Amino acid sequence: MAKRRPNGGGTITKRSDGRYQGAAYVTDTDGNRVRKYVYGRTWDEANEKLGKLQDQERNGIPVPSRSWTLGEWLAYWLEHIVAPEREHNTYVKYESKVRLYLLPHLGKKPLVKLTPAQIRAFMAALTREKVGASARFEVLRVLRNALNRAMREELVTRNVALLVDMPKVSKDRGTAWNAREAIAFLRSARAHRLYAACVLVLVLGLRRSEVLGLRWQDIDFETGRFTPVKQVQRVKGVGLVLKDLKTESSQAVLPLPEFCARVLGERRELQELERKIAGEHWAQAPDHDLIFSSEHGGMIDPVGFSRTFDRLVKRAGVRRITVRLARHTCGTLLAFLKVHPKVAQAILRHSQISMTMDVYTHVVGDSEREAVGMLAELLEDPLIG
C-alpha cells in the first residue's frame, strides 16, 4: 500500500519503469510557480529528495528557471558580471582560464549537477596535461568565483568547487635582489629619466601601476610623507586611464625616506626641462599632475615601464628579475639606508615591529659589505652614472 503524503507535501507516484516520481509546486528564479519533479529508486529516496526541494521553498530559495550548462553560465558570468564590475586585466585573466581549461573539460556539464568528483577528475586531467600548479590554482579559483556568484543568483544551492582542495603552489617564484645587486642596478640606471621610479619600486616596494599613478599633490616634502591614491591602467577600447586604488589600505599615508625625497626633487627638475622642450606638444596631453609622465606629459604604459626596467637590468649586468619581484628588495634597502625600524614598519605595512626587525637583523648579519660602500657612493654623488 502506497504511503500517504501530508496535505501540501506534494505527491509521489510509481512510474512504469519501476522508479518513484515526486512532484511539488515551487517558485523558480523568475518568480513563477512551477511543478518540479524528483526521482528515486525507492519511495523513501524520492520522499527524501522531495523533502529537500520543499525545504528550499520554505527557506525562500527558488529553483533555477532554466537548465544552465556550466559553459553557458561561465559565458554569462564573464560578459554580464565580470566585464562590467571588475578591472579589465582581471577579466582577461578569467576569460583565458575559462576558454583554455574550463570550457573544453567541463563546459557541457549541467550546472546544477556538477559534482566535486567531476572537478577532481578535471584537475587530475590538467595535471596529466602538464599544466603547471600555479595555473591549476588559478583555474580552480576562477571556478570557485563563478560558482559563488551562481549561488548568489540562486542557480545552485552550494559551491561544489569549495569541496575540492586547491593545488599546492610553491611560494618560491624567484629570489629578489640582494642589496649589492639592487644598488648596482640603481648606479647603472642613475642617468635614466625614470631613475626615480626605479628607486620608489626598490626602496618603497610600490607596484608599477602605483608608481606611475603618483602625482605631485600626493607628495608632502615638508613632512616627509606621501599618499598613493591613483594607479595607471590600460582599459580595453579606452587606452590608459588614471584610476583609484582598489582598497583604503593602499591609500595609507606613508613615510618618505630622505633618499627618495631627494631623487623626486631631481625628477621634478627634469620634468620641468622636458616640459620646456616639448613646448606646445606638452599642452596637448591631459595634465594629470603625474610625477612620472612621458616626454610629452602623458601617462606611461605599465607594460612599457616593465620593458624599460628589463632593458636597464640587462644594461646593469645584474641578475634578471621582474619589476614585481624587484619590489621585494624594499626591506633590505631600507635597512642599508639606515631608515628607522618604525618608519620601515609603516612602509613595509608590517602589523608588528618584530616582523620588521627580522628583516633588519638579517641585513645586519649579511656579508655583502661591498654594498655599503656602493650605497654611500650613490648617496653622496648625485651625478654618478
Side-chain angles (χ1 to χ4, degrees), residues 12-21 39-41:
I12 298 178
T13 58
K14 190 171 184 179
R15 293 163 47 97
S16 59
D17 62 4
R19 292 189 301 160
Y20 287 83
Q21 173 184 286
Y39 303 92
R41 288 175 296 179

Side-chain angles (χ1 to χ4, degrees), residues 20 24 26 44 54 64 83 141 153 167 176 197 210 224 227 234 258 298 305 335 345 352 367 383 385:
Y20 287 83
V26 293
D44 287 336
Q54 293 186 310
R141 190 160 70 95
E153 301 283 331
E210 293 174 332
T227 309
R234 180 171 290 280
E258 182 182 351
F305 176 74
Q345 181 187 2
Q352 298 180 350
S367 61
L383 299 179

Side-chain angles (χ1 to χ4, degrees), residues 179-245:
R180 184 186 60 78
E181 291 172 311
I183 296 168
F185 167 78
L186 289 178
R187 290 181 67 193
S188 175
R190 185 67 183 83
H192 195 276
R193 63 181 301 272
L194 294 180
Y195 166 71
C198 294
V199 169
L200 298 190
V201 168
L202 292 172
V203 178
L204 300 180
L206 295 180
R207 298 175 179 85
R208 65 181 186 181
S209 59
E210 293 174 332
V211 169
L212 298 177
L214 275 177
R215 304 164 301 170
W216 290 113
Q217 61 189 279
D218 301 329
I219 310 295
D220 188 336
F221 287 99
E222 291 187 6
T223 62
R225 295 176 178 272
F226 73 104
T227 309
V229 295
K230 297 288 185 179
Q231 60 182 328
V232 173
Q233 288 196 348
R234 180 171 290 280
V235 175
K236 184 178 181 181
V238 178
L240 296 177
V241 296
L242 196 61
K243 307 184 73 171
D244 292 335
L245 290 174

Side-chain angles (χ1 to χ4, degrees), residues 66-210:
R66 57 170 292 189
S67 298
W68 296 80
T69 64
L70 178 62
E72 289 172 335
W73 168 247
L74 289 172
Y76 177 89
W77 175 67
L78 285 171
E79 181 180 354
H80 297 284
I81 298 172
V82 177
E85 297 180 4
R86 305 297 291 272
E87 300 290 346
H88 175 65
N89 291 343
T90 300
Y91 170 83
V92 171
K93 181 171 65 175
Y94 284 8
E95 188 277 335
S96 67
K97 299 300 184 291
V98 169
R99 172 171 43 84
L100 296 175
Y101 305 109
L102 290 167
L103 288 183
H105 289 271
L106 296 174
K108 295 182 180 179
K109 302 291 184 184
L111 179 63
V112 295
K113 295 183 179 179
L114 191 64
T115 65
Q118 290 173 331
I119 299 175
R120 291 191 190 97
F122 158 62
M123 297 300 290
L126 294 187
T127 302
R128 290 193 299 272
E129 294 171 8
K130 301 192 182 304
V131 176
S134 59
R136 285 184 280 119
F137 183 96
E138 291 299 325
V139 169
L140 185 53
R141 190 160 70 95
V142 168
L143 180 58
R144 285 183 172 187
N145 289 344
L147 294 182
N148 272 338
R149 188 55 185 246
M151 284 184 61
R152 288 176 56 188
E153 301 283 331
E154 299 178 329
L155 299 177
V156 295
T157 57
R158 64 173 183 165
N159 186 341
V160 292
L162 293 175
L163 303 177
V164 179
D165 293 336
M166 297 293 282
K168 293 182 179 179
V169 180
S170 172
K171 295 182 179 180
D172 184 13
R173 297 184 179 179
T175 305
W177 282 330
N178 56 36
R180 184 186 60 78
E181 291 172 311
I183 296 168
F185 167 78
L186 289 178
R187 290 181 67 193
S188 175
R190 185 67 183 83
H192 195 276
R193 63 181 301 272
L194 294 180
Y195 166 71
C198 294
V199 169
L200 298 190
V201 168
L202 292 172
V203 178
L204 300 180
L206 295 180
R207 298 175 179 85
R208 65 181 186 181
S209 59
E210 293 174 332

Side-chain angles (χ1 to χ4, degrees), residues 173 176 201 205-208 306 309 321-329:
R173 297 184 179 179
V201 168
L206 295 180
R207 298 175 179 85
R208 65 181 186 181
S306 289
F309 183 85
I321 63 173
T322 63
V323 177
R324 182 189 298 269
L325 194 55
R327 295 175 52 222
H328 299 295
T329 64

